[in-house]
Amino acid sequence: MRAGDLAIVVATRNRRDELDRTLGHLGSLPEQPTVVVVDNASSDGTADAVADRHHGVETIRLHENLGAAARNVGAESARSELVAFCDDDTWWEPGSLTTAARVFETNPRAAVVTARMLVGPDDRVDPTCLVMAESPLRSGAETAIPVVGFIAGASMVRRRPFLECGGFSPRYVIGGEEELLAIDLLTAGWSLHYLPEAVVHHHPSPSRNRRRRDRMHVRNRIWTTWLRRPAGTALRRTGQILRDADPGSALLGAVDALAATPWVAGQRRIVPPHVEAVLRTVESPRNDGPDRAGRRSGPDRLTRTDPVSAREPTP
């Protein structure tokens, strides 16, 4: 891979020290990617610190916190066909960008490749990755495993379909924002893959608003369900979402989701039968198992479900 063939977009908010560490790792990658930091209106001097310490990094300063949608801004500014994402507490291992890029070279319909995520100094495999490795959509010994979701902070995307499908919804802010985009990419005829050979490291930041994020996570999952799934499926999935969450988050998230009913009704587009069939295959009870919080869930095991090790820039 030549320098300039790939961009890495890092969204951040008020995590100056964690971001500094991540940029140090990205700056030493052999692929020499273009690095774009999108600062979600930080108040801790993040953008100035990047300008002072990392001269080769492009910094985009936002005047408001866009949450996950800040990645859209970075992708729009990139000039490369492929864009990798990482968060301010995750970074790609040397050589893994090249490994992930090969999937796009050999599969012209690939839109997303998610790397294997290793958590903490002891390099524990993220449980979501263990589940992706067992995807029921796998048909053989393929290296890039077909899935129906992805981990945003450990993924590479093909820029054009990512933007054409709207990127991450600004309305979602943060929490489960991958699921809606994944469904829309599948509907548009693109494929998503998990690639264990590519590695991203995650050293979770202690700076996070867990309670608020859990609430938004419930809200966003309910929104996605009613925006894209048939009514019967949506009812069943809503019940499962509420059962999976703690009671407080379930109640507040449901209230928030209900308040946006007019918007959801106006944006509702049910997926075609073949996409619904794929989603149902993943949701089959025989594929159920504990998610990363120890709860049981179906399709969310192959998307992003659990707030325990949330990597996204928190509001």
Side-chain angles (χ1 to χ4, degrees):
M1 182 177 293
R2 299 167 300 177
D5 285 349
L6 174 74
I8 295 185
V9 172
V10 187
T12 188
R13 175 173 167 82
N14 289 335
R15 290 183 180 174
R16 182 179 59 188
D17 294 339
E18 291 95 329
L19 178 63
D20 182 64
R21 176 188 60 191
T22 290
L23 294 179
H25 287 291
L26 299 182
S28 64
L29 292 176
E31 293 92 346
Q32 300 179 42
T34 300
V35 179
V36 180
V37 169
V38 186
D39 180 42
N40 265 318
S42 293
S43 59
D44 66 348
T46 291
D48 290 337
V50 173
D52 291 341
R53 293 178 55 84
H54 303 278
H55 299 157
V57 173
E58 177 185 349
T59 305
I60 300 175
R61 303 174 187 236
L62 301 180
H63 297 296
E64 61 179 318
N65 178 15
L66 298 183
R71 300 187 187 109
N72 303 350
V73 177
E76 287 169 353
S77 75
R79 297 177 179 86
S80 56
E81 177 189 5
L82 302 179
V83 176
F85 295 121
C86 63
D87 295 325
D88 42 29
D89 56 0
T90 72
W91 58 89
W92 289 75
E93 186 171 281
S96 287
L97 292 172
T98 300
T99 301
R102 291 194 186 108
V103 176
F104 295 94
E105 294 174 357
T106 58
N107 187 339
R109 298 305 299 173
V112 181
V113 172
T114 292
R116 178 165 51 100
M117 178 165 278
L118 302 181
V119 183
D122 55 347
D123 287 344
R124 292 173 286 110
V125 179
D126 187 302
T128 298
C129 294
L130 295 176
V131 174
M132 285 185 170
E134 299 174 356
S135 169
L137 304 179
R138 189 170 191 171
S139 59
E142 63 265 58
T143 301
I145 302 169
V147 290
V148 298
F150 63 102
I151 303 174
S155 291
M156 182 182 294
V157 304
R158 199 183 297 271
R159 179 175 176 271
R160 180 175 63 83
F162 172 82
L163 294 176
E164 287 179 348
C165 287
F168 299 108
S169 171
R171 188 155 192 147
Y172 278 44
V173 185
I174 206 73
E177 69 275 5
E178 299 96 335
E179 187 175 3
L180 179 63
L181 175 59
I183 292 174
D184 287 348
L185 285 167
L186 292 170
T187 300
W190 297 94
S191 60
L192 289 69
H193 303 269
Y194 169 61
L195 185 66
E197 287 73 13
V199 174
V200 167
H201 293 274
H202 172 217
H203 287 203
S205 170
S207 174
R208 66 187 74 247
N209 188 334
R210 279 285 307 281
R211 184 168 299 179
R212 182 170 182 235
R213 189 184 184 280
D214 288 359
R215 174 178 177 173
M216 289 192 293
H217 190 256
V218 170
R219 179 199 67 186
N220 293 348
R221 291 180 66 195
I222 294 174
W223 279 353
T224 296
T225 296
W226 285 96
L227 283 168
R228 296 292 181 264
R229 309 299 296 277
T233 300
L235 281 171
R236 174 179 57 83
R237 296 280 300 131
T238 298
Q240 180 179 340
I241 291 166
L242 297 178
R243 289 192 300 271
D244 285 349
D246 68 83
S249 298
L251 175 61
L252 295 174
V255 170
D256 293 342
L258 189 61
T261 298
W263 170 75
V264 172
Q267 298 296 316
R268 180 168 163 80
R269 300 196 306 275
I270 299 175
V271 298
H274 71 277
V275 173
E276 177 66 16
V278 170
L279 296 174
R280 284 179 174 270
T281 296
V282 178
E283 292 169 1
S284 171
R286 67 177 177 272
N287 296 318
D288 281 356
D291 68 13
R292 295 173 52 205
R295 300 180 295 259
R296 297 188 66 82
S297 60
D300 312 295
R301 300 184 315 133
L302 298 184
T303 57
R304 285 293 301 125
T305 62
D306 188 86
V308 168
S309 59
R311 292 168 295 281
E312 299 87 350
T314 51

